[in-house]
């Protein structure tokens, strides 16, 4: 009868929809695993050094001062699927020893454990990876390294502004970050400098500040700004 026919047509359509969804999910998972493999092949690792592998949300010491920063970081990690779609990141700025790196690493560890491709490196190490491609013995091209940084699902740059600034370093950072901005790829940074000082730190001596201003402007436009400026907990601990 027509009623039974309609029922089975609806049943078949729903079954097909679920199969297609599962196929898309499996294809996306294969794509993520392939990209992680590519990261490991080109860079060797995600970039989190041994000292920081225990910096999780669970062992972050929450205080009245840092509660807001902790909540922002945890909410970001818990809702990464939405943040990835919107290209939203976090801009951690503040003084030394306030837990910026701990929160950035905690985000990366939570997402890596879920299979999300993440690179978490200091700006110095990021630039060193690109420079390695210039070595005669290197089998990896500069473009291949930069391409990984441009396209990884989440890029975390720690201690931006600590690198020695040259026309090459700022143009390399700009090439990576401008691509991610235009492609709506989320990026997280930590820095000890406020907006004005970071622009100065990213401006080559005797050069113009256009690329530096563009980098900082893009970060502040599409990322949540989390300011962490209080007494260095390491000084308190050792004092």
């Amino acid at each position: 009868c027509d009623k039974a026919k309609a029922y089975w047509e609806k049943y078949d359509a729903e079954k097909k929809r679920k199969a297609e969804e599962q196929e898309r999910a499996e294809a996306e998972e294969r794509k993520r695993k392939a990209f992680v493999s590519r990261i490991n092949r080109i860079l060797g690792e995600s970039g989190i050094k041994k000292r920081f592998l225990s910096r999780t949300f669970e062992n972050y010491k929450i205080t009245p001062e840092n509660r807001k920063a902790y909540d922002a970081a945890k909410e970001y990690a818990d809702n990464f699927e939405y943040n990835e779609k919107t290209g939203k990141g976090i801009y951690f700025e503040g003084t030394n020893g306030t837990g910026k790196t701990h929160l950035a690493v905690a985000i990366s560890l939570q997402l890596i454990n879920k299979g999300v491709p993440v690179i978490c490196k200091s700006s110095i190490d990021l630039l060193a990876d690109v420079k390695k491609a210039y070595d005669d013995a290197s089998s990896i091209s500069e473009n291949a390294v930069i391409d990984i940084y441009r396209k990884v699902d989440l890029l975390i740059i720690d201690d931006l502004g600590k690198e020695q600034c040259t026309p090459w370093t700022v143009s390399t950072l700009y090439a990576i970050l401008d691509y991610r901005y235009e492609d709506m790829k989320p990026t997280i940074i930590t820095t000890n400098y406020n907006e004005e000082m970071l622009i100065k730190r990213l401006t080559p001596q005797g050069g113009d500040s256009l690329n530096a201003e563009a980098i900082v402007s893009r970060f502040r436009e599409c990322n949540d700004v989390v300011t962490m400026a209080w007494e260095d907990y390491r000084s308190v601990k050792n004092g």
Side-chain angles (χ1 to χ4, degrees), residues 35-45 121 129 132-133 138-149:
F35 198 89
V36 170
S37 177
R38 188 176 174 213
I39 291 173
N40 292 335
R41 178 171 57 83
I42 293 178
L43 301 182
E45 55 185 10
K121 291 199 174 189
D129 284 339
K132 285 178 187 176
S138 175
S139 60
I140 305 298
S141 71
E142 175 189 3
N143 287 338
V145 177
I146 290 177
D147 194 57
I148 285 289
Y149 281 116

Side-chain angles (χ1 to χ4, degrees), residues 126-135 142 145 164 166 168-169:
L126 182 157
L127 293 165
D129 284 339
V130 180
K131 285 182 179 178
K132 285 178 187 176
Y134 292 114
D135 294 343
E142 175 189 3
V145 177
Q164 183 178 1
T166 67
W168 178 82
T169 61

